[in-house]
Amino acid sequence: MSALYETAFRRVLFPAYESVRRRRTLAYLDDYRRDQWLAPERIAALQWERLQRLLEHCYREVPYYRRQWRELGIMPRDIRNLDDYAKLPVLTKADIRTHFDELKADSLRDRLLYKATGGSTGEPMRFGYTRESNDRRTAVMWRGYEWAGSRMGRRTLFLWGGPVGDPTRAHQLKDRLYNTMFARRVLNSFKMTEANMADYADAIDRYRPDIIVAYVGPLVQLSQWLTATGRSIWPPQGIIGGAEALHEFQREAIQQAFGAPVFNTYGCREFMLIAAECEQRHGLHVNSDHLLVELRMPHGAACGHQAGDVVITDLFNYGMPFVRYANGDTATLSAQRCACGRGLPLLERVDGRVLDAIRTPQGHVLPGEFFPHMLKDVPGLQRFQLVQRRLDRLDLSIVRGAGFDEASLEYIRNEVDKVLGDSVQLHCHFVDDIPLTRSGKMRVTVSELAP
């Protein structure tokens, strides 16, 4: 029955849904599926063609880049290769906040869609994107998930962050219908505790998913509980980890508990899926036919097996282009060619950010992702850092802007109370600045408790 629905969804229901929404996800997915098998040099040439078109558009349509490049004496025709391109200034979150309207393309500014990042660097940020860009990102995500055995309409369980705030009944109904149509079940990982692990295991057994997509942290915690208690569980055909760096010891723990292969992915809200493991699981294929991903090495360092700062350009977001955007992550390149035959290059690993989990006296383990997820839409919140030094206390440092008020503070307290109750006291502190680590990064959730 599951296979029949998957076929019907892929061939009839989803195409009809796409047609009603006037989307082109399926057409783009066909293109990306074909492009992945091109030779590496052909993919590089395709990427370069798309980059040239984007740079010409930015100079013609986007005030921020036109002004900045003119001040530097740079024209698009001066950028003849990737070495020239790498001399362009890096775009930061601070640049985006300061020049938000200037970064919009003149001819598309009235047709943009908007999202907010989860603020996993401690600085939530709003950005714009076009409908085409969104359709392409969705297509690239499906392509990457297919490498792990996931397909449209295939029975999938998400162990993921739940909604924050108070969604309306209409919004809840819309989510239920959407998840039902896509054969998805969502378990809120933010409510997972040591005491209710069995409930999550029971839910997985009842749903019997073909694929599980999960935050790495909660999935590891559930896996450790399953192994420690000797509980057997429904084995999916594949498990996709996201939102955090996946370490090999974590992969082994998950595979031991579930008896299923685990696939690593790398993405961020600004671009969705950046890279993902294929069937070989010997590195993450970069979606270089859709994005240009650079690794900025320390000055004077060779580009060998060293971690570099991730710098990304979305080749198709013409509405609010991010050219050489530093997202705050680090990763390591691989010099290997994957045995799968795809021409997409590999990352050896993604070091990324480490978001510490928060614990309570009652045994609740709250993923560090909860706080950037919850705080991303708080008006006037410029930067934050959550620190746990005692089991019964959390300290939230807030750099506030003009839009932050008592209602913002009350919202934060209410949302934390929903998931942690009165077992932990939340202390909010207003500060002028939050110091970076010695490596220049922001740790947004920090646990100083002993393991």
Side-chain angles (χ1 to χ4, degrees), residues 402-438:
F404 195 97
D405 56 18
E406 283 299 320
S408 305
L409 196 59
E410 187 65 21
Y411 170 84
I412 293 170
R413 294 187 185 283
N414 287 341
E415 292 304 314
V416 172
D417 187 64
K418 283 181 185 178
V419 295
L420 295 181
D422 58 4
S423 63
V424 174
Q425 292 183 335
L426 176 67
H427 295 263
C428 297
H429 316 277
F430 297 116
V431 297
D432 295 327
D433 196 15
I434 296 173
L436 301 176
T437 64
R438 283 183 294 180

Side-chain angles (χ1 to χ4, degrees), residues 318-339:
Y318 278 57
M320 190 174 179
F322 284 5
V323 176
R324 304 203 71 225
Y325 170 68
N327 73 346
D329 289 343
T330 59
T332 302
L333 280 172
S334 172
Q336 303 299 314
R337 174 80 187 271
C338 187

Side-chain angles (χ1 to χ4, degrees), residues 64-236:
Y64 175 80
Y65 295 116
R66 184 166 58 242
R67 173 181 54 78
Q68 184 188 65
W69 297 349
R70 281 177 177 173
E71 290 174 355
L72 295 170
I74 296 173
M75 300 276 287
R77 64 172 176 267
D78 299 325
I79 303 171
R80 300 180 181 90
N81 50 49
L82 289 179
D83 288 337
D84 291 338
Y85 166 77
K87 295 174 185 176
L88 292 176
V90 168
L91 183 72
T92 67
K93 287 180 170 63
D95 294 329
I96 295 165
R97 290 191 192 87
T98 303
H99 305 284
F100 187 80
D101 286 323
E102 251 196 313
L103 279 161
K104 299 175 186 177
D106 290 332
S107 62
L108 296 169
R109 61 177 59 243
D110 295 330
R111 287 181 277 164
L112 291 180
L113 307 170
Y114 293 95
K115 286 183 182 178
T117 69
S120 55
T121 58
E123 299 178 281
M125 183 189 73
R126 190 165 172 260
F127 63 95
Y129 58 98
T130 60
R131 182 178 293 275
E132 177 188 349
S133 172
N134 189 63
D135 292 352
R136 285 183 173 275
R137 293 173 188 192
T138 303
V140 166
M141 180 204 73
W142 277 115
R143 179 180 71 175
Y145 278 24
E146 284 177 351
W147 301 339
S150 178
R151 295 187 297 269
M152 291 182 182
R154 198 166 198 194
R155 200 170 181 83
T156 302
L157 183 137
F158 283 76
L159 181 59
W160 210 252
V164 296
D166 297 302
T168 63
R169 286 187 177 181
H171 186 85
Q172 293 177 46
L173 177 60
K174 179 182 174 183
D175 281 348
R176 281 198 295 271
L177 291 173
Y178 181 87
N179 289 330
T180 299
M181 184 175 77
F182 276 81
R184 294 173 21 154
R185 172 79 192 277
V186 182
L187 302 181
N188 187 350
S189 66
F190 295 155
K191 294 185 176 180
M192 181 183 285
T193 71
E194 289 292 334
N196 66 11
M197 291 286 186
D199 295 337
Y200 284 81
D202 291 344
I204 293 171
D205 277 338
R206 284 194 300 270
Y207 192 65
R208 298 191 168 194
D210 295 318
I211 300 292
I212 292 176
V213 181
Y215 282 165
V216 171
L219 186 60
V220 170
Q221 292 157 20
L222 179 57
S223 299
Q224 291 170 337
W225 180 87
L226 290 169
T227 300
T229 59
R231 165 77 184 261
S232 60
I233 196 167
W234 169 263

Side-chain angles (χ1 to χ4, degrees), residues 265-336:
T265 64
Y266 171 48
C268 66
R269 195 164 172 82
E270 296 94 320
F271 307 106
M272 289 178 62
L273 189 67
I274 298 168
E277 288 184 327
C278 70
E279 306 88 341
Q280 301 295 320
R281 293 187 291 161
H282 294 310
L284 296 93
H285 285 286
V286 179
N287 294 311
S288 56
D289 49 351
H290 176 71
L291 305 168
L292 199 163
V293 178
E294 309 166 70
L295 296 187
R296 282 199 309 161
M297 302 297 170
H299 183 67
C303 293
H305 294 279
Q306 294 192 48
D309 294 334
V310 176
V311 176
I312 307 178
T313 297
D314 184 332
L315 299 172
F316 291 100
N317 185 4
Y318 278 57
M320 190 174 179
F322 284 5
V323 176
R324 304 203 71 225
Y325 170 68
N327 73 346
D329 289 343
T330 59
T332 302
L333 280 172
S334 172
Q336 303 299 314

